[in-house]
Amino acid sequence: MELSNHQADRVKIVFYTDPLCCWSWALQPHWQRFIEEFKDQITYSYCLSGMIPDWTKYSDPFNAVSRPAQMGPIWMEAQHRTGAKINDMIWSQEEPPSSSYPACIAIKTACLQSFEASERYMQAVWKAVMVDALNISKKDVLLEVARGTSLLHPGILDYDRFVGDYDASQSREAFRSDLRQVAYNRIGRFPTLTFTKSGKGLIMTGFRPYEALVDAFNQLKQVSKGQSVYH
């Protein structure tokens, strides 16, 4: 999902994320403020990680999470540390989200229409799970979120097209492409943002305040020729 721009002097940012990443949701106010402030000096894209294929294949030893009930405290911590509105009770429900793959595919489905459609839809999916505690591993929930997005943003997301595209091979191949990019760049924690310009770059992992985004941007804008700023 990429916002096209052909001006070579812009800083390119890739935002590696996942619909079930609470820290990515918590980062959104800072990220949206940053986009608005520097929109004329950056290009950005999102790469979906497929963080939870299913619970038999997911393990986060760093946070000691290997089953749904253990995810709740992580979401609670994210809420307390960042002030973001996050409903951790979804992980104590009888049927918590079983995978982030369906939501990733849905976001790539919206992207078949436009970058803006995918961005609007991704925000709606995040709100659905983080705030409204809806199970976004279910297709009917994802379709309902798409319907709501199309009504809220008429002319941006076509709901009927979305329904047809969701089960098409093109949306799944787009997601597989993201998974290959995540694996190739060895991205293992989310969110991760990469800032690059003229062959130089900086990597930022985890939730960071607005000022950290600005600092990363400024480092890339000010770096002299031949100097590396990878962290």
Side-chain angles (χ1 to χ4, degrees), residues 2 14 39 62 94 134 139 157 177 181 197 211:
E2 184 161 1
V14 180
K39 59 187 176 184
F62 182 80
E94 184 176 339
L134 298 178
K139 180 180 176 180
L157 183 70
S177 178
Q181 183 175 333
K197 183 177 182 294
E211 292 75 17

Side-chain angles (χ1 to χ4, degrees), residues 8-164:
D9 63 338
R10 296 195 174 208
V11 172
K12 179 180 179 181
I13 305 170
V14 180
F15 192 132
Y16 294 88
T17 186
D18 189 88
L20 287 177
C21 176
C22 59
W23 299 105
S24 292
W25 167 249
L27 182 61
Q28 286 309 297
H30 305 295
W31 171 241
Q32 296 300 325
R33 177 185 173 191
F34 174 81
I35 292 173
E36 183 61 30
E37 181 70 21
F38 297 99
K39 59 187 176 184
D40 295 330
Q41 303 177 68
I42 65 172
T43 64
Y44 64 96
S45 62
Y46 298 98
C47 188
L48 300 175
S49 70
M51 186 175 72
I52 303 178
D54 63 54
W55 284 101
T56 67
K57 300 174 183 176
Y58 178 78
S59 178
D60 177 4
F62 182 80
N63 290 302
V65 177
S66 60
R67 52 192 176 88
Q70 295 169 328
M71 189 67 83
I74 303 300
W75 282 34
M76 186 182 297
E77 179 189 1
Q79 181 180 22
H80 289 319
R81 281 184 52 188
T82 68
K85 190 173 183 181
I86 300 174
N87 189 344
D88 60 276
M89 296 305 294
I90 190 172
W91 297 108
S92 59
Q93 292 180 2
E94 184 176 339
E95 196 173 5
S98 59
S99 170
S100 62
Y101 273 38
C104 288
I105 292 169
I107 294 167
K108 301 306 290 190
T109 300
C111 194
L112 296 178
Q113 299 189 31
S114 70
F115 176 84
E116 185 177 5
S118 66
E119 196 169 31
R120 299 276 192 180
Y121 181 70
M122 181 167 62
Q123 293 291 332
V125 168
W126 263 327
K127 180 181 180 296
V129 65
M130 299 290 167
V131 179
D132 302 328
L134 298 178
N135 187 346
I136 61 168
S137 63
K138 291 182 170 293
K139 180 180 176 180
D140 61 333
V141 172
L142 294 168
L143 292 181
E144 191 56 37
V145 173
R147 184 190 298 276
T149 304
S150 69
L151 293 173
L152 191 61
H153 304 287
I156 294 177
L157 183 70
D158 183 305
Y159 174 71
D160 291 333
R161 179 182 169 186
F162 180 94
V163 172

